[in-house]
Amino acid sequence: MPHEAASRILFLHHSTGRAIWKAGLPQFFCAWNAEHGTRYTIAEMAYPMANGGHAWLDRLLPTRLFRRVVRDRYPWNNYPYDYWNLWVAHTGGERDGQEPNLDDLTASHDVIVFKHCFPVSRVLPEDGAPGVASPKQTLANYHLQYEALKTRLHQFPRTTFIVWTGAALTEASTTPEEAERARQFATWVKETWDEQGDNIFVWDFRELETEGGLFLKPAHAHGPTNAHPSLAFAGKVAPLLGRRIVDVIEGRGDQSSLTGG
C-alpha cells in the first residue's frame, strides 16, 4: 500500500552508495517534493557503522587511528551474511558490535534502502557445505541468507524495503567465473526471490552498471581496478534511484522499471 505523504526514507550504504548520495539523491527529493507537493524525507547512514558505538570518537579521530583504538566493533562488511547476522540472528534487544538491528531501524523509518559493497560480486565456487550462518561468499549461502532475510523483512509489513542488486566489479578486478556467479545471484534476486505484492522491492543497480554484461563498464568505473562509480555515472543514476524509491512509495513498485528508468 502507498505510504502517507511524509514517508521517512533511510538509505544504508558504504562508499558506493555514498557516491550516489553525493551525486544528487537528496536534491532529487527536494525537487520532487517541490513539484508534486509531497513531503518525502531521506536520510543516509553508513551501515554497518563499524564504530562499536563510539560515533563521536569515530568523527574525531583519523580512520586508521580510530581502528587501532577501538577494536571491539563490527567489521566494515555489508554482505548477505552481515545483514542476516545483524537483522535475523540479532533481534529485539540483541545487537552485534553495537550496530542497530532491524527493530531499531524500522522504529523511525517508513522506507529502508540497503545495498552491498562491490566485493559481494566476488562469488566463490560452492564448497558443498552451505549454511545460513556462514560468511563464505557462495551462491548457496547467499540464497539461504536472502531467504531468511525475506522472512524477517515480512515481519515488518508497515515498512517498505528496497534492496540494490549487487554492485559489479571491473573486468580487471575479478574473473569471468566470479562475474558469472554474481550475475546469477542478481538474476535470482530479481526473478525468483523477489515477490510481487509484498513489502520488498529491488533496484537493479547491476544492470545499470554492466548494461547487461558480466563486468562494470569501464566508462562507469572510477578506474580499471576501482569499481566505485565514476562521477558521471553516479550523477546519471542518482535520479534513477530516486525515481525507483518514489515509484515504490506511491504504489507503482511492482509495475515500474527495476532500474528507475
Side-chain angles (χ1 to χ4, degrees):
M1 296 294 293
H3 284 276
E4 296 179 356
S7 287
R8 301 161 299 173
I9 307 157
L10 177 63
F11 177 30
L12 305 176
H13 65 83
H14 280 169
S15 53
T16 296
R18 180 166 177 76
I20 306 304
W21 175 269
K22 292 177 66 176
L25 190 59
Q27 292 83 352
F28 170 89
F29 282 96
C30 288
W32 185 275
N33 288 337
E35 184 176 351
H36 296 86
T38 48
R39 292 182 292 125
Y40 303 138
T41 62
I42 187 166
E44 54 89 23
M45 177 191 295
Y47 189 83
M49 295 181 289
N51 60 24
H54 300 284
W56 66 273
L57 194 60
D58 192 12
R59 291 191 295 268
L60 180 66
L61 297 178
T63 300
R64 289 184 180 179
L65 180 57
F66 174 80
R67 290 177 179 176
R68 287 201 298 268
V69 172
V70 180
R71 297 186 179 276
D72 185 19
R73 53 187 172 78
Y74 198 83
W76 188 252
N77 296 335
N78 63 358
Y79 310 124
Y81 163 79
D82 300 290
Y83 282 107
W84 170 83
N85 178 47
L86 294 167
W87 291 359
V88 180
H90 292 83
T91 63
E94 299 177 343
R95 298 171 188 85
D96 191 347
Q98 302 300 315
E99 296 291 341
N101 61 25
L102 199 57
D103 301 274
D104 300 321
L105 296 170
T106 57
S108 55
H109 297 94
D110 305 307
V111 182
I112 295 177
V113 183
F114 65 102
K115 60 171 291 298
H116 310 292
C117 290
F118 48 75
V120 74
S121 289
R122 194 160 285 119
V123 187
L124 303 174
E126 298 303 323
D127 61 2
V132 70
S134 172
K136 189 170 185 179
Q137 294 181 201
T138 65
L139 281 175
N141 290 342
Y142 282 3
H143 289 182
L144 290 173
Q145 289 150 2
Y146 257 57
E147 291 293 0
L149 271 172
K150 180 162 65 172
T151 298
R152 178 68 171 143
L153 299 184
H154 283 169
Q155 294 173 2
F156 297 86
R158 295 179 63 84
T159 304
T160 297
F161 300 93
I162 304 173
V163 59
W164 295 23
T165 51
L169 290 161
T170 63
E171 187 171 6
S173 57
T174 187
T175 66
E177 294 77 16
E178 285 181 344
E180 176 56 35
R181 288 189 287 267
R183 178 164 64 178
Q184 289 176 18
F185 178 57
T187 299
W188 177 82
V189 167
K190 293 183 292 183
E191 298 182 1
T192 302
W193 179 80
D194 188 32
E195 299 177 5
Q196 290 207 348
D198 68 356
N199 62 330
I200 306 171
F201 299 85
V202 173
W203 184 50
D204 198 357
F205 182 61
R206 179 184 171 84
E207 176 66 24
L208 293 168
E209 286 193 302
T210 65
E211 299 179 13
L214 279 180
F215 308 106
L216 173 58
K217 291 287 186 181
H220 301 336
H222 196 74
T225 59
N226 187 337
H228 289 96
S230 67
L231 293 176
F233 179 71
K236 175 183 176 181
V237 302
L240 298 180
L241 174 57
R243 184 54 191 257
R244 179 64 177 151
I245 295 170
V246 167
D247 281 345
V248 168
I249 291 173
E250 298 183 354
R252 300 183 294 272
D254 284 333
Q255 293 78 39
S256 58
S257 168
L258 295 186
T259 62

